[in-house]
Amino acid sequence: VEPCMHSLALRLLHPSSPRPRRALCLAMLFLLCPLAVADTRLTAVLEQAERLEQLQTLIIAQRGEILAERGYRGHRTTTPSNIKSASKSVISALVGIAIDKGVIESVEQPIAELLPADLPGKPDPGLQQVTIGNLLSMQAGLGSTSGRNYGAWVASRNWVRAALARPFEADPGTAMIYSTGSSHLLSAILTRRTGKSTLQLARQWLAPLDGFTISAWTRDPQGIYLGGNEMAMTPRSLLAFGELYRRAGLTASGERLLSQDWIEASWTPRTRSRYTGHGYGYGWFITELGGEAVRYGWGYGGQMVYVVPGLEMTVVMTSNTRQPSSGAMGHRDALHRLLGEIIGALHAAGARP
């Protein structure tokens, strides 16, 4: 079809062709071959994407089919990379499964009763009010262990106790205080409640998800896998994870791994980032880009998994993790713009389901 359409375009779009004939050709191209139009637009977007110096890989999938897959500057979509805080979305999925299995009662369950041996000697009364849901939505109220506090936190002897010992900066359930310590407490709770490591749980509970593999994952001094950071997987694995959410918790074969209620709860804004203004649910950011509702997991440096439900699309982008923080935010914004251009390319071809 493509050579035929290309030949038709060359003949009828030639400047010597009568205007009515050229207009008819354009109409035929859009009506008969919208995918070719989308492919042309996407090709242009992919070429522009290569100009983003920190971008390493890009995968675009719609309705389960890969539309485009690129590795830039020698990088491959089959090579594991550190997805950084995009792993918070993975932790959220494991918590959702744990609730479905009865391992955790609900998002309203107080965490103090789940980690009694790790509470400070004289715990702040506020710790009794912090719930599973508060940790998921970054509304625990505890001081952050991220950013400038991250180095001291991971240098501590016990990351769980250090996170619980942070002073309160807000009441639980109010302001968003982004903290990897909150996600790590979830990892510790999963381990304590099941007697299995979080990596074992991920491999067991997400085993039916074709293409999903965690290649490596950092542990704390007590052996608990770091909840919400330093997790390695291939971009294709991250795509498989995003596709699980795009399919409302089902594998490609129709097996349910996550409840649809959990996905809807995770994608319900409960607070808002002071830096981007985007909403935040349970391990997922919520916004609108290119005229479409978008849910995304975001890791430092530009490790992104986007789900665009209205287009049945999942997009993965991975980037250099060693760029300075001053440039990382600008790169993240550039990736959002790139997604908007991808959405625009599909809109132009009438690619709505």
Side-chain angles (χ1 to χ4, degrees):
V1 174
E2 287 185 4
C4 177
M5 295 302 294
H6 181 65
S7 175
L8 178 66
L10 287 177
R11 293 199 313 270
L12 298 186
L13 289 178
H14 192 277
S16 63
S17 298
R19 286 186 179 179
R21 196 175 182 186
R22 293 165 64 191
L24 176 61
C25 175
L26 285 173
M28 291 175 65
L29 283 171
F30 277 87
L31 289 173
L32 298 179
C33 200
L35 292 180
V37 176
D39 184 62
T40 300
R41 288 286 298 269
L42 277 177
T43 298
V45 170
L46 292 169
E47 290 175 354
Q48 293 176 6
E50 192 168 8
R51 300 173 190 170
L52 298 176
E53 294 182 357
Q54 304 296 341
L55 183 63
Q56 296 179 344
T57 68
L58 170 62
I59 309 176
I60 305 167
Q62 188 176 39
R63 304 183 189 101
E65 298 293 330
I66 292 179
L67 300 183
E69 184 171 19
R70 294 286 179 90
Y72 300 107
R73 288 165 284 278
H75 295 278
R76 297 181 178 180
T77 59
T78 54
T79 300
S81 62
N82 189 343
I83 66 169
K84 295 290 187 176
S85 287
S87 58
K88 289 179 172 63
S89 302
V90 178
I91 289 291
S92 174
L94 296 178
V95 171
I97 295 172
I99 291 174
D100 287 343
K101 291 180 177 295
V103 173
I104 295 172
E105 291 178 6
S106 72
V107 292
E108 302 301 327
Q109 187 170 9
I111 68 168
E113 66 186 47
L114 298 172
L115 295 170
D118 295 298
L119 297 177
K122 295 181 178 180
D124 188 302
L127 283 173
Q128 300 296 326
Q129 307 302 317
V130 179
T131 65
I132 292 289
N134 295 154
L135 296 181
L136 286 163
S137 63
M138 298 293 168
Q139 293 175 288
L142 293 164
S144 177
T145 64
S146 297
R148 65 186 180 205
N149 300 318
Y150 186 78
W153 177 56
V154 296
S156 67
R157 295 180 178 179
N158 189 308
W159 299 359
V160 172
R161 293 180 181 178
L164 289 168
R166 295 291 296 166
F168 276 88
E169 296 180 359
D171 291 334
T174 58
M176 179 181 183
I177 301 175
Y178 190 87
S179 177
T180 295
S182 290
S183 292
H184 190 56
L185 292 178
L186 292 169
S187 181
I189 289 168
L190 289 168
T191 299
R192 300 273 197 272
R193 295 291 290 176
T194 63
K196 296 181 179 180
S197 74
T198 322
L199 179 59
Q200 286 177 310
L201 294 176
R203 288 175 172 169
Q204 176 183 335
W205 291 348
L206 297 176
L209 186 58
D210 286 343
F212 179 80
T213 303
I214 297 174
S215 306
W217 196 357
T218 294
R219 291 187 288 179
D220 73 7
Q222 283 66 48
I224 296 171
Y225 284 91
L226 176 50
N229 202 4
E230 303 299 324
M231 178 189 288
M233 66 175 64
T234 68
R236 286 189 184 178
S237 289
L238 189 55
L239 177 72
F241 177 75
E243 281 285 278
L244 175 65
Y245 275 74
R246 199 268 305 169
R247 289 189 300 261
L250 298 174
T251 66
S253 63
E255 181 177 351
R256 180 161 296 284
L257 299 185
L258 271 175
S259 70
Q260 190 165 351
D261 287 346
W262 181 254
I263 293 176
E264 291 175 359
S266 300
W267 286 353
T268 298
R270 300 169 192 282
T271 185
R272 195 163 294 276
S273 169
R274 71 181 78 174
Y275 304 108
T276 64
H278 295 175
Y280 194 73
Y282 290 158
W284 289 84
F285 288 91
I286 300 105
T287 191
E288 183 176 304
L289 296 170
E292 293 285 345
V294 174
R295 288 82 173 94
Y296 68 95
W298 163 38
Y300 179 83
Q303 322 315 316
M304 318 296 294
V305 53
Y306 295 102
V307 180
V308 188
L311 292 176
E312 296 184 278
M313 180 171 72
T314 305
V315 176
V316 165
M317 305 177 191
T318 63
S319 307
N320 177 14
T321 60
R322 298 185 179 182
Q323 54 190 292
S325 58
S326 58
M329 300 302 103
H331 180 62
R332 176 205 61 203
D333 294 343
L335 297 183
H336 288 341
R337 289 192 295 272
L338 175 59
L339 180 70
E341 292 169 359
I342 292 169
I343 291 172
L346 296 185
H347 280 172
R352 272 194 169 281

